[in-house]
Amino acid sequence: MVGRKYEQRLRAESAEETRRRILATFAEQLRNSPTHPISLDAIARHAKVARSTIYTVFGSKAGLFDAFVEDLWSRTGLTTAVSNPDARDHLRAGITAACRMYAADRGVYRVLFSLNQLQPDAVGMAVQKMEKERSGGMAHLARRLDEDSALRADVSVERATDVLWMLCSFDTFDSFYSERGMSVDETIELIVDTAERAVCRPGE
């Protein structure tokens, strides 16, 4: 029985290692060949697995995209930000985590969002799902700010949600970080300051 459990654990570890290797190879292809069509054959070759293994692990190309985006999202640090008991600190920590997430994989996010505009079928629903989660997060933050009496009197929860959604997008981050040449810290400071001035009561 002990030997069987040990073998099962080794198989599970091997399967997870294979999964991680495929995801890492996929990220590398997005970074290094952003204008080339996504090739499962190339991913399989560089990950040193059979093409069928990708289907076994992820089900389809769309499933690979979904898993990749979920993996990116899981490493954002946003969970810690959301759990902050103070809504304003939640806002600041959330923007900080999102900006650092975008900066760490800027090339990957640029390709994903570009593909979503130019070849939506290529990425399945992966980017749409990510943006839907982000939209829900902004609505949750706006409600928290309202419950903490931190929203400006002339800003509704709905308006705050829209403003935060715009300011916390990848495109807003990339406009400052890439096009304006700001550092990550400068970008964070600007977006946080703009968000607080736009939706929060002053002097807190």
Side-chain angles (χ1 to χ4, degrees):
M1 181 65 70
V2 174
R4 183 179 302 172
K5 288 183 178 179
Y6 178 71
E7 290 176 1
Q8 290 173 341
R9 180 170 64 82
L10 288 180
R11 283 197 295 270
E13 290 175 352
S14 177
E16 178 59 20
E17 181 182 340
T18 297
R19 181 179 181 277
R20 300 301 314 173
R21 191 164 68 251
I22 293 170
L23 290 175
T25 303
F26 183 39
E28 185 177 344
Q29 186 178 78
L30 289 178
R31 291 190 192 98
N32 297 339
S33 305
T35 60
H36 294 175
I38 300 301
S39 169
L40 294 187
D41 286 330
I43 291 172
R45 183 169 63 255
H46 290 291
K48 295 181 173 56
V49 298
R51 192 174 192 271
S52 60
T53 300
I54 297 177
Y55 286 98
T56 299
V57 176
F58 300 102
S60 63
K61 180 185 285 189
L64 174 58
F65 267 102
D66 282 343
F68 180 72
V69 168
E70 286 177 10
D71 183 65
L72 279 177
W73 204 243
S74 71
R75 295 186 272 115
T76 62
L78 291 174
T79 301
T80 302
V82 170
S83 64
N84 198 300
D86 182 87
R88 278 179 178 263
D89 287 342
H90 171 176
L91 181 151
R92 296 166 185 141
I95 292 174
T96 298
C99 287
R100 296 202 185 284
M101 168 190 78
Y102 291 144
D105 283 297
R106 186 262 169 194
V108 169
Y109 280 103
R110 173 46 63 206
V111 174
L112 286 175
F113 281 100
S114 296
L115 281 175
N116 189 53
Q117 292 293 321
L118 300 173
Q119 304 174 44
D121 292 341
V123 296
M125 296 296 291
V127 174
Q128 292 93 323
K129 288 177 183 177
M130 181 172 64
E131 285 294 273
K132 185 177 180 179
E133 286 189 23
R134 188 173 71 84
S135 181
M138 297 302 96
H140 174 67
L141 173 55
R143 288 193 298 270
R144 287 202 62 199
L145 289 166
D146 184 50
E147 290 164 2
D148 281 8
S149 300
L151 281 185
R152 284 174 37 181
D154 60 342
V155 176
S156 67
V157 171
E158 292 74 19
R159 181 58 173 257
T161 299
D162 290 340
V163 171
L164 292 170
W165 181 86
M166 175 187 67
L167 291 174
C168 297
S169 68
F170 171 77
D171 285 333
T172 296
F173 164 81
D174 205 38
S175 294
F176 296 126
Y177 181 66
S178 297
E179 295 179 29
R180 299 291 291 175
M182 292 184 177
S183 69
V184 177
D185 289 338
E186 289 171 334
T187 302
I188 290 169
E189 182 180 1
L190 179 57
I191 295 177
V192 167
D193 182 64
T194 303
E196 290 196 278
R197 288 175 182 271
V199 304
C200 294
R201 293 179 182 274
E204 295 183 27

